[in-house]
Amino acid sequence: MTYKTILAVFSIHHKEQSLRSAAEICASVGAHLSLLIVKLASPPPIGEYAAAVSVDWLDERQRDIVRLETSVEKAKAILDQTGVSFDVATMYTESAWADDEIGERARYCDLTLVGDGLVADPELRSRTLDGALFRSARPVLIVPRGKTATLTPKKVVLAWDSGFEAARAAREAMGILAGADNVQVTMVDPRASYGRNGEEPGADIAAYLARHGVSVAVERLPSEGRSIDEVLNRFAQDASAELMVMGAYGHSRMRERVFGGVTRSMLETASVPVLMVH
């Protein structure tokens, strides 16, 4: 996959270093940075008969728009110094519609970047992830706080479970995998089974990647009572991986929200940048 346009979603409380980091990621692969600064509108007050609209609420919305415009000017001034090709757009929207609107914008980019620019706004981060993963058909790069991401990593971990989402993630990241010096296909407690992992778990995906010129090795890891996300995070750290590639939401979102799941945990606890694909 060649990345020509990267969408980076930020809140109005973005920091200069976060913007520069997004620009550096784009510059490293010669991509255009499409910056989207989003402000979620405050919900209207509900009175006794839900008929009265608060003057304070209207004033607050107007102040939000001014803050949004100010944030755009600051972002442009910073990005002008980086030399990267960029455009800046804004979105002032209701929380309930944000994931649809962000997802629609993401369809016209090759990748959505979710990093430090959303740390100060957990609700917007959640809406951005939902929109980008479920409504764009594009990969999402999640960068944990304090971490530096690259689209030209030398060491990559591919989290593999033989599922549809993992297969799609591997295909979407093929350019990254082929350019790496070392790709470790990582399986946690794999079982040899007909129609899924095969007689030798990991052999099929390793052969597929090798035919694309990927330098690949297979690691079968025992969980030993630990959660899958904990095993993957520990392995990525020990392997000094610069990126993890994985499928997202092999189960329904509702099931993961109620019972937990690897995707949900990795979104919250990833130890290295993660490229996710649903």
Side-chain angles (χ1 to χ4, degrees), residues 83-95:
V84 72
S85 171
F86 74 92
D87 69 83
V88 182
T90 63
M91 182 181 293
Y92 187 61
T93 184
E94 309 298 330
S95 180

Side-chain angles (χ1 to χ4, degrees), residues 124-136:
L124 177 55
R125 184 178 188 272
S126 176
R127 294 292 180 177
T128 299
L129 287 168
D130 278 359
L133 284 171
F134 289 96
R135 292 172 171 81
S136 75

Side-chain angles (χ1 to χ4, degrees), residues 61-242:
R61 289 175 74 95
Q62 185 58 45
R63 287 192 292 270
D64 281 345
I65 293 172
V66 172
R67 294 187 192 108
L68 194 56
E69 293 171 350
T70 301
S71 181
V72 167
E73 294 307 313
K74 290 181 179 179
K76 287 180 177 178
I78 293 169
L79 293 176
D80 276 336
Q81 301 171 13
T82 66
V84 72
S85 171
F86 74 92
D87 69 83
V88 182
T90 63
M91 182 181 293
Y92 187 61
T93 184
E94 309 298 330
S95 180
W97 304 334
D99 46 355
D100 283 327
E101 295 180 4
I102 292 171
E104 182 178 355
R105 189 71 63 96
R107 291 171 204 159
Y108 304 101
C109 300
D110 299 306
L111 175 77
T112 298
L113 173 64
V114 179
D116 280 357
L118 294 179
V119 167
D121 195 333
E123 175 67 13
L124 177 55
R125 184 178 188 272
S126 176
R127 294 292 180 177
T128 299
L129 287 168
D130 278 359
L133 284 171
F134 289 96
R135 292 172 171 81
S136 75
R138 298 290 187 270
V140 180
L141 178 61
I142 298 103
V143 184
R145 175 182 283 182
K147 299 295 181 179
T148 301
T150 176
L151 291 174
T152 56
K154 297 305 179 184
K155 294 183 178 181
V156 180
V157 169
L158 171 61
W160 185 253
D161 64 358
S162 301
F164 174 82
E165 289 77 14
R168 186 152 182 256
R171 186 68 188 90
E172 287 284 347
M174 188 61 72
I176 293 175
L177 301 179
D181 292 338
N182 183 2
V183 174
Q184 293 173 294
V185 174
T186 306
M187 309 181 75
V188 180
D189 294 335
R191 295 181 180 179
S193 59
Y194 176 76
R196 188 165 179 85
N197 291 326
E199 295 181 1
E200 186 179 352
D204 289 345
I205 184 62
Y208 168 73
L209 294 174
R211 295 188 193 105
H212 281 272
V214 178
S215 177
V216 61
V218 177
E219 298 286 345
R220 304 180 185 96
L221 305 176
S223 63
E224 298 177 336
R226 297 171 296 169
S227 63
I228 293 176
D229 57 283
E230 184 181 352
V231 174
L232 291 174
N233 275 323
R234 176 62 61 86
F235 180 80
Q237 285 183 310
D238 292 345
S240 299
E242 298 164 88

